[in-house]
Amino acid sequence: MAVDGDNKHLHELLAEIDACDARIKELQAARVIALDIIPGAVPMETYAFPKRCLLLFGAEGPGLSEKALELADDVVYISQFGSVRSINAGAAAAVAMHAWIAQHAVSGV
């Protein structure tokens, strides 16, 4: 025979499981966005960043590995003009994070 306290505990556990399942689904929906200036990449200025994403940056010089690019859902690049063909990785990260926040920031926060 179940005691009311047992039922309450069971409902709390089920609520926790439901919350964990929802969080797992949210994280699984996250996309990996690689930043590299390669053929087929999309210009950052026209890219709609997903709300939930991981931004992936390569090392200065070699950029991202082939494996990293294979694992990425999308590849975007920062448009550059003239003969410049690379941006410091830290600067690229700052620009990309700002592009994300410009699309997803809630005014007044």
Side-chain angles (χ1 to χ4, degrees):
M1 182 167 177
V3 179
D4 284 342
D6 290 341
N7 283 335
K8 182 181 177 192
H9 184 67
L10 177 61
H11 288 299
E12 289 172 355
L13 287 174
L14 291 174
E16 283 184 43
I17 290 170
D18 286 343
C20 288
D21 284 344
R23 179 70 173 145
I24 288 169
K25 286 178 183 166
E26 179 186 5
L27 293 172
Q28 286 174 330
R31 298 179 57 84
V32 176
I33 312 304
L35 273 86
D36 207 342
I37 189 162
I38 61 170
V42 176
M44 181 184 301
E45 299 78 28
T46 63
Y47 183 75
F49 283 93
K51 179 130 183 152
R52 180 68 70 183
C53 64
L54 178 137
L55 300 175
L56 184 59
F57 303 92
E60 292 178 34
L64 290 166
S65 69
E66 286 299 318
K67 184 64 173 176
L69 292 169
E70 288 172 18
L71 293 172
D73 293 300
D74 295 312
V75 182
V76 300
Y77 68 91
I78 300 169
S79 294
Q80 301 169 47
F81 298 97
S83 63
V84 177
R85 281 287 161 252
S86 71
I87 295 178
N88 170 280
V95 169
M97 288 186 280
H98 177 73
W100 183 92
I101 200 73
Q103 291 180 17
H104 296 287
V106 177
S107 54
V109 174

